Amino acid sequence: MLSDTEHRELEEAIKHYPDKRGAAIDALLTIQRHRGWISDDSLLDIAQFLEITAEDLDSIATFYNLVFRKPVGRHVAFVCDSISCWIKGCDQVQEQIKDLYDVDLGQTTADGRLTVLPIACLGHCERAPAMMIDHDVYGEVTPDKIDVLMDKYK
Amino acid sequence: MDYPLTKYIHHDGASRMLREYVKGGGYRSLQRLTAGMAPKDVQRLVGEAGLRGRGGGGFPTGAKWSFVPMGSNAPKPKYIVANGDEMEPGTFKDRILMEGDPHGLVEGMIMAGYALDAEVGYIFLRGEYHLSAQRLNQAIAEAYAAGYLGKPLPGTTFRFDLHLHSSAGRYICGEETALINALEGKRAVPRAKPPFPQTVGLWGQPTIVQNVETLYNIPHIINNGADWYRRLSRTQDGGTKMYGISGRVRNPGWWELPLGTTARELLEQHAGGMAEGVRFRGLLPGGISTAFMIEEHLDLPLDFSSFPPEVGRLGTGTMIILDDQTCPVGFVLNLEKFFARESCGWCTPCREGLPWVAKLLSALEEGRATSDDLSLLEMHTKWLAPGHTFCGLAPGAMAPLQSALKYFREDFERHITTGGCPWSKKSAQQRVLA
Ligand SMILES: Cc1cc2nc3c(=O)[nH]c(=O)nc-3n(C[C@H](O)[C@H](O)[C@H](O)COP(=O)(O)O)c2cc1C
Ligand code: SF4
């Protein structure tokens, strides 16, 4: 069931399109903001609202890097692994995260604090290596800076 | 020299919002409409200015617009879409513009909409650009409050509405027909062309998809004229270009410069040369879907009409530098892994071919490859060439591979003869142990 707030936000989202399903991505991201990820139940709620089938909506949900069809931690760290960051040592950034928090790409820490995912070029190439934690992008992330950076995300 | 796109952009990351934008001459192009400039006049001006699309293809914008049905019998509504997907690795120019000067995009879209009598606009923004989204939303709200959006423009009956669509991260959404599917809330695979979006696009209506940087140019052309715009450039293509450099150079960054600036000037004068202790080997001129350029190409003007076909094309104009401490095979492997991961999976050569290419390159890096594997890589550059796949993703993926096989052949061969990557310390150790 959609909460009142969720319902109101989806009503707002569909105003931008001549056809309800145009708001599919907005709806998925809105519900994900409230619930953390898109469970099968959430998928059904949204599909019902958009008047499309859940399977149809799932073919969209599973297409995108930023729609989570599995639970994630309280925070998500996205490590850019595209070329400019690779040249500047994104592999070392990833290894440092693994050493500090005992978590590999695609995994969540045991305490549920952090999920680490690879991400395509974040468009901050002039300040490589870059990473994004939740909605915040950081450039020139050398391995020694990571623990201080992560302090903000408990 | 005039740098119309960025001369007012703050270098401390602050944004210019409405008051400051208007003070600097923003929304002045709308006054031309009051003075009687008709849509066809705007179209003609953009054509005469020699504006070419900044999304990577360099298609002449005026020519693209000429396919849009005009007049009272034309279908309604028509749409104008700003392509702000910017997921091409190494590319960050549109972000600089949208974060620094969000109203410039709003004004560009209003004027493009007016020129095409397209009354609804969408900004298609990649999901990771949260700061751009926040500033664009603010700019759109300000433009509505000031009456630039949602009300007839003074002196005309034309009224424009603008929406922001934040995507959820997938490279193929930047391809214009996939983008249209994405906006309609469908799985974002490309569509067959024809029909072209100019006649049958978003929700079946005439639609123009234009790169963000392209749209920023339009108000300046309207304010200052085609001759002025052509004089900004050093070559036959009009205007300035947002260039950028990443990789191991002293000062990576972005610069708005006359079209036709050379890679050598960018590298040596603007980026301060190579970083301490590394030497130049090659560069990709504009994102990773372009072919390598090497030392002998550094003095070519970087624009859309001067590249000899055997050298390649400019792409997005934001270049990535390959230095001598970085393995060219590892570099290309990184690119092909990206393409394999981001392939939409719609057509077989791309869906199956790209992972195979990535596997072959991994085998080279790990010392498992033979010379037959090099021939297989060569063959893929033909199997995934333009015309063999449904869209431009796979042919784009072959441009750096094919040129790397040409310019860095010896490095590929060394991976076979020495049984691993000469640049990787780890595999050297493994070799000693083995
Ligand atoms: C795989 C692929 C990805 C693309 N990504 C983008 C993009 O992120 N931004 C963009 O403006 N154009 C992108 N394009 C080009 C668009 O299809 C289209 O040509 C462009 O937006 C037209 O704008 P322009 O004429 O102003 O250059 C991409 C093309 C392909 C094949
Ligand atoms: S070339 Fe690749 S990205 Fe393009 S339609 Fe085919 S599978 Fe999709």
Side-chain angles (χ1 to χ4, degrees):
Chain A
M1 274 273 287
L2 295 173
S3 72
D4 287 349
T5 316
E6 289 171 343
H7 201 270
R8 211 171 326 115
E9 288 181 20
L10 298 198
E11 287 288 352
E12 211 38 57
I14 58 175
K15 284 187 190 153
H16 294 283
Y17 306 88
D19 175 3
K20 269 190 181 178
R21 73 172 298 152
I25 287 296
D26 307 63
L28 286 163
L29 292 176
T30 301
I31 299 306
Q32 181 165 285
R33 198 167 55 242
H34 287 291
R35 306 184 185 177
W37 64 293
I38 302 295
S39 66
D40 288 354
D41 285 342
S42 299
L43 198 74
L44 276 168
D45 290 343
I46 303 167
Q48 210 162 35
F49 179 86
L50 297 174
E51 296 171 12
I52 59 179
T53 65
E55 289 74 14
D56 195 352
L57 185 63
D58 207 16
S59 80
I60 300 160
T62 53
F63 193 75
Y64 289 95
N65 302 330
L66 301 177
V67 176
F68 308 134
R69 284 290 275 117
K70 284 184 190 166
V72 292
R74 288 194 297 284
H75 303 287
V76 183
F78 300 92
V79 184
C80 173
D81 64 359
S82 292
I83 188 65
S84 309
C85 289
W86 179 78
I87 295 172
K88 291 285 188 80
C90 62
D91 289 347
Q92 283 89 296
V93 171
Q94 201 181 298
E95 265 163 42
Q96 179 76 1
I97 294 179
K98 189 176 171 177
D99 286 351
L100 287 174
Y101 307 104
D102 191 26
V103 58
D104 244 323
L105 287 182
Q107 295 178 345
T108 303
T109 53
D111 62 0
R113 176 183 172 198
L114 181 69
T115 300
V116 186
L117 295 172
I119 196 156
C121 180
L122 283 169
H124 285 68
C125 323
E126 83 280 26
R127 297 173 61 229
M131 69 186 280
M132 181 166 82
I133 310 176
D134 300 336
H135 287 184
D136 311 320
V137 179
Y138 299 95
E140 290 158 13
V141 188
T142 43
D144 56 305
K145 290 186 192 156
I146 287 170
D147 55 342
V148 180
L149 250 185
M150 281 303 303
D151 267 352
K152 276 208 263 171
Y153 305 89
K154 289 293 181 195
Chain B
M1 224 19 260
D2 201 354
Y3 306 105
L5 269 44
T6 58
K7 88 178 138 188
Y8 296 119
I9 284 189
H10 299 298
H11 285 259
D12 63 358
S15 191
R16 287 173 82 215
M17 297 317 295
L18 185 66
R19 191 189 311 187
E20 194 188 351
Y21 183 71
V22 170
K23 223 163 145 193
Y27 291 109
R28 209 174 40 153
S29 66
L30 304 187
Q31 293 166 11
R32 300 277 155 146
L33 312 187
T34 329
M37 191 181 246
K40 64 174 187 323
D41 300 328
V42 181
Q43 286 200 23
R44 185 176 36 79
L45 206 54
V46 167
E48 285 170 4
L51 173 62
R52 297 184 65 157
R54 307 293 199 242
F59 196 80
T61 305
K64 181 158 149 180
W65 288 5
S66 70
F67 298 105
V68 176
M70 295 294 291
S72 51
N73 289 332
K76 290 232 152 212
K78 293 184 253 180
Y79 293 102
I80 169 103
V81 181
N83 190 343
D85 198 50
E86 192 157 78
M87 283 184 68
E88 183 72 34
T91 305
F92 51 97
K93 64 188 184 68
D94 298 340
R95 174 179 63 81
I96 301 293
L97 294 171
M98 293 183 291
E99 284 181 1
D101 218 0
H103 277 284
L105 183 56
V106 177
E107 186 179 356
M109 292 196 72
I110 295 174
M111 294 315 287
Y114 179 73
L116 299 162
D117 203 13
E119 63 219 64
V120 184
Y122 285 93
I123 299 171
F124 189 98
L125 185 69
R126 68 174 295 190
E128 294 85 347
Y129 279 0
H130 295 286
L131 187 57
S132 299
Q134 192 188 319
R135 291 180 174 175
L136 285 167
N137 267 327
Q138 191 185 339
I140 291 171
E142 286 180 337
Y144 267 106
Y148 300 122
L149 293 173
K151 285 207 186 108
L153 299 178
T156 76
T157 54
F158 178 77
R159 166 201 147 133
F160 189 66
D161 279 296
L162 181 57
H163 308 274
L164 177 69
H165 173 96
S166 278
S167 185
R170 197 70 199 262
Y171 174 63
I172 193 60
C173 292
E175 196 281 334
E176 60 181 7
T177 60
L179 184 154
I180 288 171
N181 274 335
L183 263 179
E184 290 186 8
K186 296 182 179 145
R187 196 173 166 94
V189 293
R191 292 182 179 179
K193 292 191 267 192
F196 289 91
Q198 288 100 314
T199 49
V200 183
L202 202 49
W203 293 291
Q205 301 297 111
T207 303
I208 281 284
V209 179
Q210 210 82 61
N211 172 255
V212 161
E213 184 188 352
T214 313
L215 289 161
Y216 270 89
N217 283 276
I218 290 166
H220 300 289
I221 295 174
I222 293 169
N223 287 335
N224 302 302
D227 289 338
W228 169 86
Y229 191 73
R230 283 190 174 276
R231 278 199 305 274
L232 293 175
S233 160
R234 290 193 199 160
T235 69
Q236 68 186 88
D237 304 338
T240 58
K241 176 81 192 76
M242 292 289 287
Y243 293 105
I245 295 196
S246 62
R248 289 207 179 99
V249 297
R250 237 175 227 128
N251 309 309
W254 60 268
W255 305 272
E256 182 191 1
L257 293 168
L259 258 173
T261 302
T262 66
R264 191 184 302 283
E265 288 174 86
L266 276 164
L267 186 56
E268 290 173 4
Q269 290 167 25
H270 299 282
M274 296 300 290
E276 199 65 36
V278 301
R279 292 175 42 185
F280 174 84
R281 287 210 69 199
L283 63 85
L284 299 175
I288 67 171
S289 306
T290 54
F292 277 101
M293 295 168 73
I294 52 173
E295 182 73 36
E296 67 185 74
H297 306 129
L298 287 183
D299 295 310
L300 281 174
L302 299 174
D303 73 354
F304 302 105
S305 15
S306 310
F307 274 55
E310 66 278 11
V311 178
R313 53 187 197 94
L314 175 60
T316 61
T318 39
M319 55 178 68
I320 307 147
I321 309 288
L322 170 68
D323 62 83
D324 66 343
Q325 308 291 312
T326 301
C327 170
V329 177
F331 187 108
V332 177
L333 169 61
N334 176 280
L335 311 185
E336 301 306 333
K337 276 188 188 159
F338 168 89
F339 286 119
R341 193 168 71 188
E342 292 294 333
S343 163
C344 83
W346 182 252
C347 66
T348 312
C350 171
R351 183 186 62 240
E352 304 297 323
L354 289 174
W356 196 0
V357 165
K359 267 187 206 158
L360 290 166
L361 291 164
S362 294
L364 274 162
E365 279 288 274
E366 290 158 16
R368 293 181 282 108
T370 66
S371 53
D372 286 347
D373 292 329
L374 282 191
S375 323
L376 261 175
L377 282 173
E378 295 274 9
M379 278 147 89
H380 274 88
T381 65
K382 307 203 167 56
W383 293 334
L384 304 191
H388 294 244
T389 59
F390 199 68
C391 88
L393 184 142
M398 292 302 103
L401 174 63
Q402 188 168 27
S403 50
L405 285 166
K406 181 160 83 183
Y407 301 133
F408 310 120
R409 184 93 203 175
E410 284 169 19
D411 297 311
F412 280 78
E413 281 165 355
R414 262 203 305 152
H415 280 71
I416 297 169
T417 50
T418 60
C421 178
W423 277 266
S424 157
K425 289 190 195 72
K426 209 155 115 202
S427 66
Q429 279 164 357
Q430 280 164 352
R431 278 203 307 281
V432 171
L433 292 174

